[in-house]
Amino acid sequence: ERRRAIKVATIARRLDVDESTVLRWVRDGALRAVDVRARKRRATYRVLVVSLEGFLRSRGLTADEIKQVVSA
């Protein structure tokens, strides 16, 4: 489960932020992501659940709040 990857759009929706915000976190190195593009010019990122959990923990979310975001 923790090795499952989540799309940037899904994370943005669950956190009620714009996709550009999530992409900025990735570009800034705050949120680790994997570029899964296949012959596309633009980067296409996925974030492992374990990385998202660590990021949210660093932002002060509780274990219950993290579980809600990850499981939504």
Side-chain angles (χ1 to χ4, degrees):
E1 171 69 18
R2 294 183 66 188
R3 297 208 36 93
R4 180 173 57 95
I6 303 174
K7 293 179 180 181
V8 166
T10 301
I11 294 169
R13 187 177 67 250
R14 291 179 183 178
L15 294 176
D16 195 28
V17 298
D18 195 79
E19 284 183 48
S20 64
T21 300
V22 178
L23 290 172
R24 185 175 62 250
W25 293 335
V26 170
R27 281 193 311 273
D28 291 348
L31 179 59
R32 286 184 40 197
V34 177
D35 186 351
V36 296
R37 79 181 112 182
R39 298 183 187 170
K40 294 181 184 177
R41 293 182 183 189
R42 290 179 35 169
T44 303
Y45 295 104
R46 299 290 185 275
V47 177
L48 293 178
V49 168
V50 67
S51 295
L52 180 58
E53 290 170 341
F55 172 77
L56 296 173
R57 198 170 8 284
S58 76
R59 298 288 176 139
L61 273 73
T62 66
D64 286 338
E65 291 169 328
I66 293 170
K67 185 176 180 180
Q68 287 178 344
V69 171
V70 171
S71 301

